[in-house]
Amino acid sequence: MECVDSRRLTGPNLLWDRRGAVLDVRCDADRTDAVIEAWRRQVRRMLDAVGWQDEQICVRRFSTGASLAISAPRDGLYAATDINDWAWDAACEVLAGQPEPPLEPDAEGLRRTILEESSPPLMALQAAAQEHGLPLLSDDDAVSIGLGKGSRTWPVDALPSPADIDWTELRTIPLGLVTGTNGKTTSVRLMTALARSQGLTVGLSSTDWIAVDDDIIDLGDYSGPGGARQVLRDTRVDIAVLETARGGLLRRGLAVEQADAALITNVAAVHLGVFGVEDLASLADVKWVVSRALGERGCLILNAGDPLLVERARTYTGRLTWFSRDPDNPVLRAGLAAGHGACTVESGQIVYLEGDRRAPITAVDSIPITLGGAATHNVDNALGVAGLALALGLSIEAVGSGLQALRPEQNPGRCNLFNIGGARVIVDFAHNPHGLQAFLELGRNLSAERRLLIIGQAGDRSDDDIRSLVEVAARANPDRVLIKRMARYSRGRPDGEVARLIRETFLAAGTAPDKLVDEEDELEAVREALRWAQPGDLVIALVHEDRNAVLDFLTEQARDA
């Protein structure tokens, strides 16, 4: 048995709504009960010894082990991880047949740790913020109360007294969360366009960057709590939309305890086996965490075609908006009958339905990122974002004009189309079977004499995950396949191993060997694709490693063609 990970939980999370610390441990299935009980006894001994008698314990089992959590005050999360680590070490000793370890002097050291970490000014601000019904965000460097234009932020070593704060200056702003397996980044970018159509200054966090309107504050993956806090503390922001990815939810939990609306795009197999999330049902539970921030007034926007989301919604008592391209989807119709809202397509028009209300928004073929409706996955994204925007208070007019405003080139790496010498190239970040299936459906919807696919995968995916991706690609029967090596994304695998596995899987699926070509890198694969392509051909390029270089190259080629 072993401890795989020990970390703080800073917000509502997969286990519960409390802050605290969690251990992910691996053990044989027949020892799980004994491991949990040994840890439970030791952690309770130490919690009582350090004066944390009121803190609670939570356990989540999975097939290869368990997550073992304790709650803790906001100003004691590092101490909580130390307590949890001590309890695990003590439990291991007991399970190995050694005597139960004494509490002292370790308890005395942990009491000192708790005292050193404690912050009475922070806890006073937390109590005052709760009394005023305002959110408080804290980290190692700063504390803020309120959101966006209604926020104020202080360094952790210079916190004010609640009596010295002008509480009339502090308020919230409309706040939306976006999660799901695919479509998150496109959805937050699209939501930004909608909010700007209403004249609002938008704060955005995503896997690509954090930004306020066109001001990109920093590049990188900011889909976790850190990026969210930076956006929500920016006093320029009128409305915020936060991409809320699986990794951040599992590592730390939600960045906020309250939001006005949340969109879950879909749930599909990706990154299974990490943090005890072993199957689709568990992954759906992770995505569902965003619903905990909505309370009674918030609205949850769900994909009516996703069976896992439909199942979880059966017991959900809050407000819902369903979305589906099919206006006769039975879940969508049942939701309308129950008084919920719906976004769907009728006669080529996106419409919002609720009760007797039918509000046309815009024609599907007027939304640039749908490529005239051929990109059906982006029709889904448009429907979900329309529901999110309306739940956040945007007008129908702003939603319609915003959907028409975002152009494919403003959504880099997501469904970008280039016309080069009579051939077409579409570029996308699709990196899992569900996303690739949607991208290949677009490829089928675009007429072409021949189709070439550029494909690769990062080395941190399992062999089964890589095979599943390739099997989806092989079923599309492309005329040529360029297998790109992604050296920077080998992530512990020997160089070339992933490309070899991709080739083997194509061959096992029946792809002719002469259709398969190995390429050293992503950009060279794109260059080779253009050398091969003739007028009327379609290049379907999965781009992950050198996105900016590929897009710049294709933009130059399209301009010079």
Side-chain angles (χ1 to χ4, degrees), residues 185 189 206-209 216 219-220 409-416 418 427-430 484 486 488-489 522-523 526 541-555:
T185 301
R189 290 176 180 170
S206 71
T207 52
D208 281 341
W209 57 61
I216 297 177
L219 295 170
E409 60 268 23
Q410 296 171 305
N411 191 26
R414 270 77 177 180
C415 201
N416 303 140
F418 299 86
V427 174
D428 200 85
F429 185 70
K484 56 178 182 173
M486 298 168 56
R488 295 203 307 274
Y489 285 69
E522 202 162 70
L523 184 56
V526 173
L542 306 184
V543 174
H544 312 106
E545 190 175 28
D546 292 309
R547 186 189 72 187
N548 291 341
V550 167
L551 293 178
D552 288 345
F553 171 71
L554 290 173
T555 299

Side-chain angles (χ1 to χ4, degrees), residues 451-478:
R451 291 175 172 83
L452 177 148
L453 174 66
I454 299 174
I455 189 171
Q457 184 56 289
D460 58 353
R461 275 28 174 213
S462 69
D463 285 4
D464 286 344
D465 286 343
I466 294 171
R467 291 190 187 99
S468 296
L469 182 80
V470 176
E471 287 163 0
V472 169
R475 287 196 293 271
N477 193 28

Side-chain angles (χ1 to χ4, degrees), residues 18 78 174 231 302 375 460 467 545 555 560:
R18 295 172 178 263
Y78 286 105
V231 167
L302 298 177
D460 58 353
R467 291 190 187 99
E545 190 175 28
T555 299
D560 295 341

Side-chain angles (χ1 to χ4, degrees), residues 5 10 15 32 48 109 122 162 173 178 223 272 307 335 345 377 391 410 446 455 473 480 491 501 505 536 538:
D5 195 61
T10 58
L15 281 79
T32 302
D48 291 346
L122 171 61
I173 59 172
V178 177
S223 59
L272 297 181
V345 178
H377 63 291
Q410 296 171 305
L446 296 174
I455 189 171
R480 192 171 181 82
R491 293 174 177 168
L501 181 57
T505 307
L538 177 66

Side-chain angles (χ1 to χ4, degrees), residues 109-120:
L110 288 167
R111 285 191 286 268
R112 287 196 300 270
T113 299
I114 291 170
L115 183 62
E116 290 168 0
E117 187 181 354
S118 68
S119 174

